[in-house]
Amino acid sequence: MVIYLLRRLGLALLTCVFISVLTFIIIRLPPGDFVDAYIANLAASGSSVSVEQAQAMRQEYGFDRPVVVQYAFWIGRVLQGDFGVSMMWRRPVTEVIGDRLWLTMVVSVAALFLTWMIALPIGIYSAMRQYSFGDYLFTTLGFIGLAIPNFLLALILMYLGFRYLGLNVGGLFSAEYVQAPWSWARAWDLAKHLPLPAAVLAMAGTAQLIRIMRANLLDELRKPYVVTARAKGLTERRAILKYPVRAALNPFASSLAYLFPYLVSGSIIVSLVLGLPTVGPLLLQALVAQDMFLAGTIVLLLGIMTVIGTLISDLLLMWIDPRIRLEGR
């Protein structure tokens, strides 16, 4: 298992290197460099930068050096926590992202746990009660969940909350806590606002995982080892939960690799509709404004999230499936 884990960690680090190269290419794609774009933005607002200041900025960011040296210079600054300056906000990227990254993580993790908490028991129930009323009901709800876009569901919930409950559904904080420093009261206010965006983001993923779990468990229930377990006199609950459910969890766990970054990158429209202060709308604004340092940083973080999700998925699969541990040896 140690060799298996070390191999996965090595592949994760290598993937992060390739992601950083791709991010650097994205930053370098626009014509000119960051200093040219920065000077153009200042000129549009009526300010100016002298030739000496522009040259000093190019030397500071290493733009007067070969591309390979520029990449090494940039990645060295990134490893020190310096992601450059946002042209749109005229502030360091780390300050612009700030709480948005942590709030995005909180919303995404809450949506992920909600997805698993709903999809796992419903998928098991639908497989064990195939063609029952409950199976048809959950199947119908699952197809509805897959068919309704998340942003439309957010609009419906906002309308219902405002129309019938008199609530201003949106955002992650009440008005008095939006700019307030962190405290227990602000954390509790976040916890009260968190269920709605988490439920909206979890809807499509939950419906999909219910279908995956149901199909995989039905396939396992027809295998000879389940018949043998029942013939030995094991209770139905033990015969189902001990082996078939664990075997059916493999694709369920592997979905974490793409589901976690999807909750971040795929929530842009939902975040705009609900007014969530997350990374998604910030990425859209950065792309529209061609703020490549800010957009590149967010793309880099999304790529690292994908790698982390894949690593966690591999560890879960190693824990669930003994065959993977045997292969690791």
Side-chain angles (χ1 to χ4, degrees), residues 224-235 238-240 243-244:
Y225 73 90
V226 179
V227 178
T228 302
R230 287 169 172 164
K232 286 185 175 181
L234 292 179
T235 62
R238 183 173 177 79
I240 299 301
Y243 296 112

Side-chain angles (χ1 to χ4, degrees), residues 27-314:
I27 293 175
R28 296 282 300 174
L29 277 179
D33 55 30
F34 162 70
V35 177
D36 293 328
Y38 185 71
I39 294 174
N41 285 343
L42 288 179
S45 62
S47 303
S48 62
V49 175
S50 65
V51 177
E52 291 77 11
Q53 290 175 329
Q55 185 64 27
M57 291 180 65
R58 285 193 171 88
Q59 291 179 356
E60 179 184 358
Y61 286 96
F63 292 146
D64 56 341
R65 305 175 186 179
V67 176
V68 176
V69 178
Q70 289 184 35
Y71 168 75
F73 188 79
W74 173 77
I75 197 65
R77 296 177 69 105
V78 167
L79 293 176
Q80 296 174 11
D82 184 1
F83 294 93
V85 178
S86 170
M87 296 178 292
M88 182 173 58
W89 298 86
R90 299 182 185 178
R91 293 162 51 197
V93 171
T94 51
E95 294 183 9
V96 174
I97 294 178
D99 286 345
R100 287 177 177 265
L101 180 60
W102 299 111
L103 291 175
T104 302
M105 295 290 291
V106 169
V107 174
S108 300
V109 171
L112 186 62
F113 275 105
L114 184 62
T115 298
W116 280 36
M117 288 174 59
I118 296 175
L120 181 58
I122 292 179
I124 295 174
Y125 173 85
S126 296
M128 296 181 64
R129 299 289 187 272
Q130 188 181 16
Y131 303 133
S132 64
F133 173 77
D135 181 28
Y136 284 123
L137 176 63
F138 290 127
T139 299
T140 303
L141 293 177
F143 282 128
I144 293 175
L146 287 172
I148 298 179
N150 286 348
F151 72 90
L152 180 59
L153 179 62
L155 289 173
I156 293 173
L157 293 179
M158 289 180 66
Y159 171 76
L160 294 177
F162 181 78
R163 177 69 175 79
Y164 296 103
L165 300 178
L167 300 176
N168 184 14
V169 180
L172 290 176
F173 299 99
S174 301
E176 62 271 20
Y177 290 107
V178 172
Q179 300 295 335
W182 280 104
S183 62
W184 288 110
R186 191 170 192 248
W188 175 245
D189 188 66
L190 171 63
K192 291 190 295 184
H193 286 79
L194 191 59
L196 177 62
V200 172
L201 292 175
M203 179 60 68
T206 300
Q208 182 180 10
L209 288 182
I210 288 175
R211 305 303 301 168
I212 292 175
M213 187 64 191
R214 179 183 182 276
N216 289 323
L217 187 54
L218 284 174
D219 184 59
E220 293 294 327
L221 291 177
R222 298 186 179 96
K223 293 184 176 179
Y225 73 90
V226 179
V227 178
T228 302
R230 287 169 172 164
K232 286 185 175 181
L234 292 179
T235 62
E236 185 70 9
R237 180 177 179 181
R238 183 173 177 79
I240 299 301
L241 295 181
K242 186 170 179 61
Y243 296 112
V245 170
R246 288 188 64 178
L249 279 176
N250 284 8
F252 199 87
S254 63
S255 65
L256 181 66
Y258 71 87
L259 186 60
F260 186 56
Y262 167 77
L263 291 174
V264 179
S265 60
S267 62
I268 296 178
I269 300 180
V270 176
S271 299
L272 290 173
V273 171
L274 292 177
L276 304 180
T278 56
V279 170
L282 195 62
L283 175 59
L284 179 61
Q285 295 173 14
L287 292 175
V288 171
Q290 294 185 350
D291 190 345
M292 288 298 101
F293 270 93
L294 181 57
T297 299
I298 297 175
V299 170
L300 177 63
L301 294 176
L302 289 177
I304 293 176
M305 285 181 183
T306 305
V307 174
I308 293 174
T310 304
L311 181 60
I312 295 175
S313 174
D314 289 339

